[in-house]
Amino acid sequence: MASIAEIESVEEILNGHLPEAEREAVRKILYGKETKPLTIPQAAISLAEKEDFEIKGYAFAAAQEQLRSPRIVRVGLIQNKIVVPTDRPIKEQRDALHQRISTIVKAAADAHVNIICFQEAWTMPFAFCTREKKPWCEFAEAAEDGPTTELVKDLSKQFNMVIISPILERDSLHGDTIWNTAVVVSRGRYLGKHRKNHIPRVGDFNESSYYFEGNTGHPVFQTEFGKIAINICYGRHHPLNWFMFGANGAEIVFNPSATVGELSEPLWGIEARNAAIANSYFTCAINRVGTERFPNEFTSGNGQPAHKDFGHFYGSSYVAAPDGSRTPGLSRTRDGLLIVEMDLNLCRQVRDVWGFKMTQRLDMYATSIAAAAEPNYEPNIIS
């Protein structure tokens, strides 16, 4: 029997063991309304085969309206392994990832993608588990005009894409502080950035050794393809974080992440999907893939032996719609590009059906949350 890390996907297991009729019923239960396979141009398929990455495409449907034209957007999500070992020079590691992702972006362009998002801290191994400052802090760079953003500007301009590029940011204007940041580039122009709001302190994921909670709030970026926001990694565990992006008008919220199976996989398929339902927008969950090994051992503070990796990043990137439907996930083991076509009109159509925005009680929540934030708060428990 294959180990959990070696399992390709849930879909592969279903396809291998269930008759077609039962598969359709199970998929409906697991994923809601069916997402139709998207026809992917042969140029993109050929590039994926040549460069050895998975490529999948799906389309969400919305009802035809009489007074609004469809607002069709194609979104791309990239999940990937690191390219060269973690003991290689920093520039070599970064340049190899630049080249790898540029190739996958070319496939996305061939498939007419409008907005693409990379995984969390995509230019480096997820070295924050080590708690070592050297050499990992050298990956940090300026958000506005660092080498990665300059590369992304070129790709964005060349392919007329909006690109979301999560990096380790070095803020030289404020004491060389470091942040976990997502940079947004549109038509080759730096549009803005968002810094990670919630920082984990869970086992090996003790990222406060490098950066603290972000200070950019919950910005929404108006692009020619729709209003987008970025809920970076650990923020997906906080429903109010998702909520505030919706309160600010987001239509698509991206969740670039780095998370391993032993810690979070039972939560992975639930949280972004729940957020799409609760906030009537599309959500895009991206996780890196592979096992990253480091030169020096580190411990988890749990009495277990020291180790040089902290588990398998299980990929499984997917997109969820406001009606609760979702795509199948990408592979748990391979680099991949997920292409999803969506009609943003579905956001308002779902709001009209369910009325979540009308029936929420923001005034009551605001009063209760303000009270709960006070040090002398007493829970409202009746006995």
Side-chain angles (χ1 to χ4, degrees):
M1 178 180 292
S3 69
I4 291 177
E6 294 170 337
I7 292 174
E8 186 70 19
S9 67
V10 172
E11 292 76 31
E12 181 185 53
I13 295 172
L14 293 176
N15 292 339
H17 295 278
L18 289 180
E20 177 59 30
E22 292 182 3
R23 285 206 303 270
E24 289 184 7
V26 170
R27 280 197 296 262
K28 185 174 182 180
I29 293 169
L30 289 177
Y31 297 146
K33 186 173 63 177
E34 182 183 7
T35 51
K36 299 293 185 182
L38 189 65
T39 300
I40 299 173
Q42 186 57 49
I45 295 173
S46 297
L47 185 56
E49 291 174 349
K50 177 184 175 184
E51 299 295 335
D52 189 26
F53 61 88
E54 181 184 31
I55 186 167
K56 288 187 175 180
Y58 303 94
F60 291 103
Q64 183 71 39
E65 298 187 20
Q66 296 184 43
L67 299 180
R68 289 195 304 173
S69 299
R71 299 176 60 215
I72 304 298
V73 177
R74 281 201 178 186
V75 167
L77 315 181
I78 296 178
Q79 66 177 41
N80 62 277
K81 304 172 186 174
I82 58 173
V83 180
V84 298
T86 60
D87 60 357
R88 302 300 300 162
I90 296 298
K91 188 175 186 302
E92 181 181 338
Q93 293 185 55
R94 188 189 68 198
D95 288 354
L97 283 163
H98 280 184
Q99 181 176 355
R100 177 63 167 166
I101 299 308
S102 295
T103 298
I104 302 178
V105 170
K106 173 62 169 62
D110 288 338
H112 314 298
V113 164
N114 305 121
I115 308 171
I116 197 162
C117 185
F118 309 150
Q119 65 197 25
E120 182 185 20
W122 73 272
T123 62
M124 62 182 292
F126 208 76
F128 313 127
C129 58
T130 69
R131 299 184 296 280
E132 299 170 332
K133 297 304 178 74
K134 296 173 66 176
W136 314 118
C137 287
E138 292 187 51
F139 278 102
E141 56 183 281
E144 294 78 6
D145 57 4
T148 297
T149 298
E150 292 303 309
L151 168 71
V152 168
K153 288 177 182 176
D154 290 342
L155 294 170
S156 172
K157 185 175 182 179
Q158 179 182 357
F159 298 127
N160 189 28
M161 281 185 194
V162 172
I163 299 180
I164 301 166
S165 173
I167 62 169
L168 189 63
E169 178 195 2
R170 171 79 68 183
D171 184 358
S172 61
L173 295 180
H174 298 89
D176 275 335
T177 49
I178 292 177
W179 304 90
N180 186 320
T181 299
V183 176
V184 182
V185 173
S186 177
R187 286 185 176 270
R189 179 178 68 90
Y190 169 82
L191 187 60
K193 64 187 177 185
H194 172 57
R195 291 167 171 163
K196 187 172 180 176
N197 278 336
H198 297 276
I199 307 301
R201 296 161 178 85
V202 182
D204 290 327
F205 288 88
N206 192 348
E207 298 168 28
S208 57
S209 297
Y210 298 85
Y211 41 77
F212 280 2
E213 286 75 10
N215 58 3
T216 52
H218 297 87
V220 171
F221 299 91
Q222 177 69 69
T223 76
E224 62 183 299
F225 305 114
K227 295 189 286 292
I228 65 173
I230 309 101
N231 182 4
I232 303 173
C233 197
Y234 195 69
R236 73 181 181 277
H237 304 309
H238 296 269
L240 289 179
N241 209 46
W242 290 106
F243 165 79
M244 283 306 303
F245 292 117
N248 285 334
E251 297 170 300
I252 311 170
V253 179
F254 295 85
N255 176 229
S257 296
T259 184
V260 294
E262 292 299 320
L263 180 67
S264 67
E265 197 161 12
L267 311 178
W268 179 250
I270 300 169
E271 290 170 313
R273 191 178 183 187
N274 279 352
I277 297 166
N279 297 289
S280 302
Y281 52 46
F282 289 91
T283 59
C284 303
I286 308 112
N287 185 26
R288 67 172 58 201
V289 70
T291 301
E292 301 173 358
R293 293 177 173 83
F294 296 92
N296 300 319
E297 291 184 337
F298 51 90
T299 65
S300 303
N302 58 3
Q304 299 299 311
H307 43 278
K308 291 189 175 184
D309 72 79
F310 64 147
H312 174 71
F313 294 104
Y314 52 83
S316 306
S317 303
Y318 71 96
V319 174
D323 63 2
S325 58
R326 57 154 286 186
T327 70
L330 285 179
S331 167
R332 296 179 73 261
T333 63
R334 296 182 63 201
D335 287 7
L337 168 63
L338 178 64
I339 301 165
V340 177
E341 186 173 277
M342 56 186 68
D343 184 346
L344 297 183
N345 283 350
L346 186 61
C347 298
R348 192 167 80 179
Q349 291 174 11
V350 171
R351 291 189 190 110
D352 288 347
V353 170
W354 283 100
F356 291 151
K357 294 290 185 181
M358 291 188 293
T359 56
Q360 64 188 1
R361 297 292 305 278
L362 296 187
D363 54 344
M364 181 173 65
Y365 305 152
T367 300
S368 299
I369 290 171
E374 295 298 323
N376 60 350
Y377 176 68
E378 295 184 7
N380 183 15
I381 299 173
I382 298 173
S383 60

